[in-house]
Amino acid sequence: MPKANVTFEDIGVTVTVPAGTRLIEISEKVGAGITYGCREGECGTCMMKIVSGMENMSERSVLEDQVLKEIMAGRQNRLACQAQVLGGEVVVRPG
Amino acid sequence: MKAVEVAPGVHWIGALDPGMRDFDIILKTANGTTYNAYCVRGSSGVAVIDTVKESHAGEFFRRLEQVAGYDEITTIVLNHLEPDHTGALPELMRRAPNARLFISFKAQTMLKGLLKSEALAYTPVDTGDSVSLGDRTLRFLHTPFLHWPDTQCTWLEEDRILFSGDVFGCHFCDARLFNDRVGDFRFSFEYYYRHIMRPFREHVLAALDLIEPLAPALIAPAHGPVLRDAPSAYPRRYRQLASPQLANEAERDKTLLIFYISAYGNTARMAEAVRDGAESVDGVRVSLFDLQGGEVTPFVDLVEEADGLAFGSPTINGDAVKPIWDLLSSLAVIKVGDKLGASFGSYGWSGEAVAMIEDRLRGLKLRVPVSGIKVKLIPTDAELALCRDYGRELALHLTGRAARKVISMEELLSAAPATNPAITAKAVPTATP
Ligand code: FES
Ligand SMILES: [Fe+2]
Ligand SMILES: [Fe+2]
């Protein structure tokens, strides 16, 4: 199965995950400083920053895109409960 | 009651709410509050700055009508979209068809949700934008997170009056209105800061950098007295409140606070071992506190300045003990989001407290990089050694020297909820707790 490496910069942990894993599935378990609200891509609480490797992330869905625009997120921001890791190396941090 | 002139051509047109006791559930007030709104007359236009809570709209409109006709109003400014200041807006927009609405650019998404009305035309503004009333100019200062993302202040340039929104406000109701005439409201001012503004202190300091150089001749907040006597005292006081009282003597060190509570001394011994481990790392200042020997408020002050927090609690009736929750629930008034969190404790037959505390820490947006330690009953020497390692690892994380870890998803899932499998040391009890 294709793998991806996700590094949580704030806690210094890299997790090797199957391609297609949502960030929330990892961030929740690993103890990174991210909080969650609705878990359904509506509230924007779980926003995090992709430090590098955005090209290895899934495209923003219409819903995710809309919420991120509403909270005036930057281009590097994604919702942990929505965004999937597709492969390669991705570095993330809270915020 | 009349509109009150606060400067030539500038009137207070707000409302008094002397019966209010609980504001937004979390705030108390012993004599009510005011919703302050203002009207500014210029040679070619009239501006209304903020409105009032919907229940008090009648009072607001009666005062407004004393100083301006609705068709004269060219400009409506909202410094902040919370309902206590926007309750009369839809009706005001209906009555003043010539008015343009100005809100902070961060307020745009909130406008619809709050006012439940679809097509309100508005102009979003940022620091540096201004609107002219002829011989008078309103200039906008973007002061986000004081205390909502949308908050801004409005500066009446020619008169050097700052309409500050909730900033420098307080819940205090006195019809004499001016700070040099009302009763003693100083405690209300401080209380409001501590409960409303304190979690946003970096934003407070950034806003003060914009506000203080203006040296306002009068500050007109959205609640409580109008500050005309020695107005600069209030920004100065905010600056003091947003800065630590005493400089941290160990300024270059990272600080770790260990709070514990112990029924039989077991969690206390773990706490000491965690401390010893953390102290073995250079560049970390560790402090150990028994929660039974202190009150919550001063601990909250300490936490505000700390880099890391570790909580030690026994598990009693399947839960962490109350003094721990009391402290954790008080942390909402400060910013804790960038700190490191940790938890440990001794237990009798089930050890839920450690994971419950960790969940709460994550909920407060702390990072919890090292999974907590729980020990059954009395810690053995081997378990105390684990506690020392744990303290050491916390200190390494604090100083950015922790070894980077690489793990697989399977390891992660089996080790929920955090990276290290919660170290549950099994000890043979040598005595009952
Ligand atoms: S948790 Fe609400 S958007 Fe992700
Ligand atoms: Fe407010
Ligand atoms: Fe308010």
Side-chain angles (χ1 to χ4, degrees), chain A residues 36-46 79 81:
Chain A
Y36 314 97
C38 66
R39 294 163 186 272
E40 289 175 358
E42 279 171 11
C43 68
T45 313
C46 65
L79 300 179
C81 72

Side-chain angles (χ1 to χ4, degrees), chain B residues 129-145:
Chain B
D129 291 336
S130 63
V131 53
S132 171
L133 304 172
D135 58 352
R136 284 179 147 155
T137 317
L138 297 175
R139 220 167 254 299
F140 303 103
L141 305 178
H142 184 49
T143 53
F145 293 104

Side-chain angles (χ1 to χ4, degrees), chain A residues 3 7-18 21 25-26 28-35 45 70-72, chain B residues 105-106 108-109 362-369 397 403-410 412-413 416-419:
Chain A
K3 296 274 183 191
T7 300
F8 292 84
E9 222 182 37
D10 66 327
I11 52 171
V13 176
T14 301
V15 189
T16 308
V17 301
T21 307
E25 298 173 55
I26 324 163
E28 239 183 346
K29 296 277 172 0
V30 83
I34 300 170
T35 37
T45 313
E70 268 174 24
I71 57 178
M72 297 192 207
Chain B
F105 71 99
K106 286 264 194 178
Q108 299 177 69
T109 52
R362 279 190 285 266
L364 289 166
K365 298 198 182 189
L366 280 85
R367 60 188 203 280
V368 184
H397 271 278
R404 304 193 75 82
K405 235 179 282 173
V406 181
I407 56 173
S408 72
M409 193 72 189
E410 294 75 50
L412 183 63
L413 292 178
T419 44

Side-chain angles (χ1 to χ4, degrees), chain B residues 367-382:
Chain B
R367 60 188 203 280
V368 184
V370 193
S371 192
I373 299 193
K374 39 188 187 172
V375 165
K376 195 169 170 89
L377 302 169
I378 298 170
T380 62
D381 287 346

